[in-house]
Amino acid sequence: MPDYILHQYDASPFAYKARLCMGFKKLAWRAVEIPMVMPKPLLMPLTGGYRKTPVMQIGADIYFDTSLIAAELERRNPDPTFYPAGGEAMAQIFTAWADQNLFLPAANFSLSLVADKLPPVFFEDRAKMMNRPATPVDKMKAATPLFKMQMCLQLDRLANLLSDGRDFLLGPKPGLADIAVAHPLWMAAKNSGKRSAAAFDPYPAVRAWIDRVDAIGQGTRTPMSGEEALAVAKAATPETPRASEEIEGAPKLGSRISVVTEDRTPEPVVGEVVFVARNEVAIRRSAPETGEVVIHVPRAGFVFRPAA
């Protein structure tokens, strides 16, 4: 079995999602702690500029975004499956709802409660990433009731779904749908203090479900330094790409492209396309610190353009 390396920091809800995926699959993995904000000098050589958390590394193959990390873990470790009921499509539907409707209200509520405890550089960094002005701390804290109301609208829907007594979102067994929906609520229910957790008091079924998902665990974790991870990449050879699929509108094999996220994170990643599938594009690039690596990117949520 390959060594799985997660470049992450513990407070990140998306890193928590990836750690739950490791736990669900009962995997051992190495943890490289990266900074919460830029600069991230030991990550950039691996990713070519991508700065989001987490990033998964397997030798000289680098995976962006928790959706693709989960898909790759399922491909390599199909038992137990992330899709015990309802299939992959239902898990994707719940994931999209969590990312598009649930994450921002839950994150805003959680951050508003601790805004005065976070360094100003945190909000400056996130504003730069989103290409917008930073929100002043006093305005963030004043908006706590609004953020709570927005989050509770989504909690109402979850409570309704769980009202029949089911243990997990799609039935008696947990799956990726549960992990995807629980990760933004982990920050609110378990990672932002008593006031945040108290917001769940009217939703005991939701809180009990969050606890069940959290009990999945996070696998077997061993620390690793960023320097060690770079050395692993440099000593490895990227895996031979699988056979590509012909997909209309997807980048062409052998073309040189620039990859950016749809949410305007400014750092493009440039490389040569070596693999295309319905949910993935892989590009080859190199850096002095890593040698040749292959970067795997989900098609959803990313923009691909020709590069010089």
Side-chain angles (χ1 to χ4, degrees):
M1 183 177 290
D3 282 340
Y4 297 102
I5 303 170
L6 277 184
H7 298 258
Q8 60 107 56
Y9 59 91
D10 282 354
S12 163
F14 282 100
Y16 173 73
K17 178 181 175 183
R19 297 194 302 269
L20 280 182
C21 287
M22 294 293 182
F24 186 95
K25 296 292 186 180
K26 300 177 171 57
L27 295 173
W29 56 282
R30 308 296 300 275
V32 177
E33 294 300 305
I34 61 175
M36 187 181 295
V37 299
M38 292 292 276
K40 302 181 181 184
L42 298 178
L43 181 67
M44 294 300 98
L46 283 170
T47 68
Y50 179 81
R51 49 82 43 89
K52 288 190 170 183
T53 306
V55 169
M56 183 173 75
Q57 176 186 352
I58 304 174
D61 286 84
I62 314 300
Y63 296 83
F64 295 175
D65 197 271
T66 51
S67 65
L68 188 57
I69 290 171
E72 186 63 16
L73 292 178
E74 178 75 7
R75 186 182 74 84
R76 292 173 182 261
N77 308 276
D79 184 27
T81 180
F82 279 137
Y83 315 117
E88 182 179 355
M90 286 301 297
Q92 291 176 341
I93 289 169
F94 273 99
T95 297
W97 173 72
D99 289 349
Q100 296 169 17
N101 298 95
L102 177 60
F103 182 83
L104 193 59
N108 281 340
F109 173 63
S110 302
L111 290 174
S112 71
L113 293 174
V114 297
D116 54 349
K117 298 179 177 62
L118 290 169
V121 68
F122 173 84
F123 294 103
E124 294 166 6
D125 177 82
R126 295 308 190 264
K128 183 178 180 180
M129 184 173 72
M130 300 301 294
N131 194 27
R132 57 169 173 73
T135 303
V137 169
D138 59 341
K139 288 188 177 181
M140 191 79 178
K141 292 186 73 64
T144 296
L146 171 63
F147 297 147
K148 181 179 178 180
M149 180 270 292
Q150 291 171 336
M151 182 182 72
C152 287
L153 288 174
Q154 308 305 324
L155 294 183
D156 286 339
R157 294 171 177 172
L158 268 179
N160 181 266
L161 182 64
L162 295 166
S163 63
D164 61 1
R166 67 182 69 188
D167 284 338
F168 297 99
L169 298 184
L170 295 177
K173 294 182 179 180
L176 186 60
D178 299 279
I179 293 171
V181 176
H183 88 272
L185 296 179
W186 163 80
M187 182 163 55
K190 302 178 84 68
N191 200 35
S192 292
K194 293 181 180 179
R195 286 182 62 201
S196 183
F200 290 79
D201 288 347
Y203 306 99
V206 174
R207 183 57 191 262
W209 165 78
I210 293 170
D211 290 341
R212 287 193 292 274
V213 177
D214 189 58
I216 289 170
Q218 301 182 17
T220 304
R221 168 178 176 163
T222 306
M224 173 183 267
S225 71
E227 290 85 356
E228 288 178 286
L230 289 173
V232 166
K234 192 157 190 175
T237 300
E239 296 178 0
T240 301
R242 308 189 305 278
S244 289
E245 301 175 36
E246 286 288 336
I247 300 174
E248 184 177 358
K252 300 298 182 183
L253 287 176
S255 63
R256 187 169 172 80
I257 63 170
S258 171
V259 182
V260 295
T261 61
E262 286 182 346
D263 61 4
R264 298 178 296 176
T265 304
E267 300 87 353
V269 182
V270 177
E272 176 193 353
V273 178
V274 296
F275 174 72
V276 177
R278 65 180 178 86
N279 66 337
E280 179 183 345
V281 172
I283 63 173
R284 180 169 53 220
R285 62 176 304 277
S286 64
E289 300 92 336
T290 63
E292 185 176 286
V293 297
V294 168
I295 290 171
H296 303 257
V297 184
R299 291 183 64 215
F302 286 77
V303 178
F304 304 91
R305 297 187 179 96

